Amino acid sequence: FPVTIVVDDGRHISYGVNVNAYGIYGANVRGFLGQAYDFSRAQQFPQESGIRQGPSDYLGRFKIIPNDYGSLEWRFRANNRTNELKRNIVTLIAGPEVFKVQIDYLYHDNVYFTKFSGKREQVSWKISSKITKDWSVFVGARREFKNNPGPLESSIGALYEDECFKWIIEGMKTYYRDRDLVPATTIMFTFGFKNLGENIVTGK
């Protein structure tokens, strides 16, 4: 049960506990629970960030990996006074490389750092299939349920990846409509050498 304490610029301290448990047949359970304490006399961050004078909100992450064919991860931020969940993210991955499914659930009580202010509750899914040693194909979508319910985006694409090179072509259709953002269809190319960075080229 490792305990981690980090002191940040003399006024801020972060601390948390990591837990790792291993079972038979390669099963693994990982967990983290932490918090920060701000010694500043003035409020340095927006209240919505969860960082305030004194103790911050709780941050947690728990992941269960029963075998090589799936995992379940839960990440959250909870109010340190009421224990109310302010952010809640659940990720489920299941299946072998030939047919892998990923489902993500996200809840955020206030997305204050983007144009899309207010609560967010979204579900996204992605299905991928490794058809050869180096080639994979995928399809996915994301949908909003809380604020202006409806589809947010959908995508389809292919990935090539070997020992030193990675290349992705992806077609994406977005349905956002907010201020300067309007629905659009984009084709995106991503290519690069591993450990040397990637380049992205987009077209509409």
Side-chain angles (χ1 to χ4, degrees), residues 41-58:
R41 295 184 179 181
Q43 180 68 30
Q44 302 292 317
F45 302 93
Q47 285 289 339
E48 296 85 354
S49 69
I51 303 175
R52 60 181 71 88
Q53 290 174 272
S56 73
D57 287 346
Y58 301 117

Side-chain angles (χ1 to χ4, degrees), residues 98-115:
V98 69
F99 187 82
K100 181 174 291 186
V101 178
Q102 177 173 333
I103 299 174
D104 296 277
Y105 168 81
L106 178 146
Y107 170 80
H108 203 307
D109 73 323
N110 191 4
V111 187
Y112 67 94
F113 48 82
T114 71
K115 293 180 179 180

